[in-house]
């Protein structure tokens, strides 16, 4: 029996992956914000006789302290984690700053994934073939990392914040592998393409219309999770890899730049250290 931790496991791709792993006899830890959705997953597991293999942790992953509390809870219960699947995401047409002072999209889409990846790394190392599947947006030729304004105080738009988050996650994958030479952990940056999910977010009317059109054209979630399940079953050989709709992407160009990855790593460590202090 393998153990999978799934952030954003209460809806969309994360939920479908959680249910698929439970069905196969694995153990899952679902991280999500909505207690009712968490209870429904637990109830579904109970009905299928998997009650002892599902663990729901209610957590607002836009908060570093709360994310670290969830990490501590996972550490207290499990000695090893075979796979970490990162899916939590929430779009915001209007800019929001968390009570910890980070812009919400930066905090949730990037910072929580940095904390979960690095602070669960030793539990991953304890598994035989560990893998992190970061479900994000590699291969999309959009998004600028605004190094002097990661919280996008200037001219915020939800799309810019989302696309910057995708670029930050690309660099997170590259940086993770560079910080851990010789590690057995495989870091997979995975863009599933359009998948019909809840598209969690607060959208202005124009964006809501676009999302509705995207949802209609998107593939069903059962199909969208196939590359995620494949990466969990057979982690790639390379320490870090990227794919879009099942097709491998070369780790070339500015999106995967090693110097930028190191720079972002140092910057993030600094932000988190300042928070701890
Ligand atoms: N769907 C697509 O077409 C598509 C395409 C490309 C990439 N992706 C990427 O795939 C990943 C998964 O997307 P999805 O569409 O499957 O997601 P989704 O259906 O929108 O679900 C989002 C998940 O994130 C959780 N979440 C949101 N805010 C949270 C918070 N503050 N704290 C904790 N959990 C929070 C939600 O939990 P609650 O509901 O419990 O709040 C939910 O489980 C995302 O990173 C997305 O960028 C998706």
């Amino acid at each position: 029996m393998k153990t999978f931790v799934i952030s954003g496991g209460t809806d969309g791709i994360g939920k479908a992956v959680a249910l698929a792993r439970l069905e196969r006899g694995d153990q899952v830890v679902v991280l999500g914000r909505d207690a009712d959705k968490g209870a429904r997953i637990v109830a579904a597991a109970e009905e299928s006789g998997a009650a002892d293999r599902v663990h729901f942790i209610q957590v607002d992953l836009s908060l570093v302290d709360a994310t670290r509390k969830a990490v501590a809870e996972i550490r207290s219960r499990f000695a090893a984690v075979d796979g970490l699947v990162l899916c939590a995401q929430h779009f915001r047409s209007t800019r929001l700053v968390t009570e910890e002072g980070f812009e919400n999209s930066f905090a949730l889409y990037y910072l929580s994934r940095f904390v979960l990846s690095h602070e669960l790394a030793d539990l991953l190392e304890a598994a035989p073939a560990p893998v992190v599947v970061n479900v994000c947006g590699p291969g999309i030729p959009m998004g600028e990392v605004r190094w002097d304004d990661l919280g996008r105080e200037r001219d915020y738009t939800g799309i810019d914040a989302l696309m910057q988050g995708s670029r930050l996650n690309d660099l997170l994958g590259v940086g993770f592998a560079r910080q851990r030479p010789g590690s057995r952990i495989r870091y997979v940056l995975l863009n599933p393409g359009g998948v019909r999910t809840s598209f969690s977010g607060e959208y202005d009317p124009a964006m809501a219309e676009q999302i509705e059109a995207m949802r209609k054209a998107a593939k069903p979630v059962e199909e969208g999770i196939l590359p995620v399940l494949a990466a969990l079953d057979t982690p790639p050989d390379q320490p870090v890899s990227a794919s879009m709709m099942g097709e491998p992407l070369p780790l070339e160009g500015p999106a995967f730049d090693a110097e930028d990855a190191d720079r972002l790593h140092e910057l993030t460590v600094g932000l988190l250290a300042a928070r701890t202090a």
Side-chain angles (χ1 to χ4, degrees), residues 8-14 31-34 37 59-62 86-90 108-109 113 135-137 162 191-195 197-200 214:
T10 45
D11 217 326
I13 295 167
L31 308 180
R33 193 179 36 169
D34 186 316
K37 289 184 187 176
V59 52
D60 181 349
L61 292 165
S62 70
L86 299 167
C87 288
Q89 155 76 335
H90 188 85
L108 176 64
Y109 188 25
R113 296 183 187 212
V135 185
C136 49
L162 175 71
N191 181 345
V195 184
T197 62
S198 76
F199 287 90
S200 176
M214 272 174 62

Side-chain angles (χ1 to χ4, degrees), residues 155-221:
D155 319 317
Y156 175 92
T157 74
I159 283 286
D160 288 344
L162 175 71
M163 288 302 151
Q164 172 175 271
S166 292
R167 300 294 69 80
L168 296 175
N169 276 298
D170 290 346
L171 294 174
L172 165 58
V174 175
F176 185 91
R178 286 174 64 78
Q179 293 297 317
R180 295 192 153 66
S183 167
R184 289 177 305 111
I185 304 171
R186 298 308 183 228
Y187 206 104
V188 180
L189 297 160
L190 193 150
N191 181 345
V195 184
R196 205 170 305 129
T197 62
S198 76
F199 287 90
S200 176
E202 279 134 72
Y203 301 100
D204 61 28
M207 197 63 207
E209 217 171 284
Q210 282 186 42
I211 290 294
E212 209 31 57
M214 272 174 62
R215 191 186 272 124
K216 280 193 185 130
K219 52 183 152 308
V221 74

Side-chain angles (χ1 to χ4, degrees), residues 2 18 43 45 67 76 81 103 151 166 170 177 192 200 215 219 246 251 272:
K2 289 186 170 182
T67 304
S76 73
V81 170
E103 186 276 316
S166 292
D170 290 346
S200 176
R215 191 186 272 124
K219 52 183 152 308
L251 293 188
L272 292 171

Side-chain angles (χ1 to χ4, degrees), residues 6-39:
I6 305 174
S7 87
T10 45
D11 217 326
I13 295 167
K15 176 183 174 185
V17 170
L19 294 176
R21 292 295 91 156
L22 281 172
E23 201 175 312
R24 207 187 57 170
D26 293 317
Q27 166 161 252
V28 300
V29 182
V30 168
L31 308 180
R33 193 179 36 169
D34 186 316
D36 290 339
K37 289 184 187 176

Side-chain angles (χ1 to χ4, degrees), residues 93-157:
S93 285
T94 53
R95 186 171 182 270
L96 178 78
V97 176
T98 69
E99 66 195 46
E100 295 176 341
F102 298 113
E103 186 276 316
N104 193 76
S105 185
F106 174 79
L108 176 64
Y109 188 25
Y110 168 65
L111 212 46
S112 80
R113 296 183 187 212
F114 182 98
V115 170
L116 290 168
S117 301
H118 284 283
E119 299 188 11
L120 288 173
D122 57 334
L123 295 197
L124 286 157
E125 293 284 8
V131 59
V132 179
V133 181
N134 186 337
V135 185
C136 49
I140 300 174
M142 283 171 75
E144 167 215 16
V145 177
R146 210 185 254 174
W147 291 100
D148 66 336
D149 181 26
L150 288 173
R152 304 201 82 91
E153 284 186 48
R154 301 193 307 271
D155 319 317
Y156 175 92
T157 74

Side-chain angles (χ1 to χ4, degrees), residues 10 30-35 38-39 42 54-58 73 77:
T10 45
V30 168
L31 308 180
R33 193 179 36 169
D34 186 316
V42 171
V54 67
H55 311 268
F56 171 59
I57 300 179
Q58 187 188 9
E73 196 171 334
R77 292 200 203 171

